[in-house]
Amino acid sequence: MSHSILLRKTCLLAAGLTLLVIPLSCRQGNTAGEKPDMTAQKALAVSVEKFMKWKSYRYRGTSKLTISGRPELSNSGSFDTRLRVNDEGAVDGHMVVESPGGSYEAYTHKRISYRKLKGGEWSRNSRSAKVHGAGMVSLTARKIIAAFADLVEYVSFISVTDDEYVITCTMGQKYEAGARRIAGGRTHNHEKGSPGTDNPPAKGTVMHITIDRNTMEMKRVWMKAGQDTGTDVGTVTTITEGTYTEINSPQDVKPVAEALNAPEGTD
């Protein structure tokens, strides 16, 4: 597997959740006046409920890939994704990925995906055009996101300040089993992933989610996933940090004319 493909899988955090370094100086536990019933589980559930009501948003950040057995393939990159919920409840998007391992631009619009490698030509893939709910974040993935707070494990506060909650949770076997159940037993990328993206988690993926304490909106997310490949490649680890901005603001996700007129390709 090439390093550009590996990085693409980690950066297609398209469209969705992952974060920033949590300052250790933040106060721990409840602050003055904090409602005693505001647990980490409840805060996460409220933020997910609000997330599902977003009609559009921008998600951008960085992703770092480390390959223990093949360090020369380790890589990093940035992503900038504009997303908008479509009339089927899935999410269309426009993503730009910058990486030494392979920069590219992509759209998903009206169930059709478009992609262009940096310096290359646009191609389109219409295989999912007849699939209801296909998108950069599929309808099935959105259903899993809606159940996210109930599926993750070990939910607890990392810190509570006057402005933010920072919550940690693990996407383990319970999450994967729940995702499969919601997806009807299917397990490809569009059936499981972190909120706001169709990337599948590795076993035991750890997430830190930062929530605005006043609005209860998700602000940032950090995710670390590791997978032992069982080959000379060794352990593949990804760390992704991302922020959510421009919530419910207009987001242009319609492909440019060159993409719309592109020949059918093999994405």
Side-chain angles (χ1 to χ4, degrees), residues 47-105:
S47 70
V48 170
E49 182 178 357
K50 284 183 168 284
F51 178 90
M52 293 304 298
K53 293 179 181 179
W54 293 357
K55 298 301 181 183
S56 61
Y57 56 99
R58 188 176 184 180
Y59 179 64
R60 50 187 165 172
T62 61
S63 190
K64 181 179 180 181
L65 172 72
T66 303
I67 303 175
S68 63
R70 300 287 300 278
E72 72 277 9
L73 298 182
S74 297
N75 211 332
S76 62
S78 64
F79 58 89
D80 188 349
T81 313
R82 297 178 181 274
L83 300 131
R84 187 174 67 198
V85 178
N86 61 32
D87 57 5
E88 293 183 350
V91 179
D92 290 335
H94 174 212
M95 172 183 286
V96 177
V97 172
E98 296 288 345
S99 166
S103 300
Y104 66 94
E105 184 176 2

Side-chain angles (χ1 to χ4, degrees), residues 173-207:
Q173 293 182 351
K174 177 185 174 184
Y175 177 89
E176 295 196 16
R180 287 195 298 271
R181 182 176 65 252
I182 294 170
R186 298 186 301 275
T187 58
H188 59 73
N189 285 10
H190 290 279
E191 267 65 56
K192 57 182 182 178
S194 54
T197 177
D198 273 354
N199 277 356
K203 186 175 294 184
T205 297
V206 176
M207 298 185 68

Side-chain angles (χ1 to χ4, degrees), residues 10 74 94 210-211:
T10 65
S74 297
H94 174 212
T210 301
I211 300 168

Side-chain angles (χ1 to χ4, degrees), residues 25-26 37 69 103 106 115 125 172 175 179 189 204 207 227 241:
S25 59
C26 289
D37 62 343
S103 300
R115 188 166 182 263
N125 191 318
Y175 177 89
N189 285 10
M207 298 185 68
Q227 188 72 51
E241 303 182 37

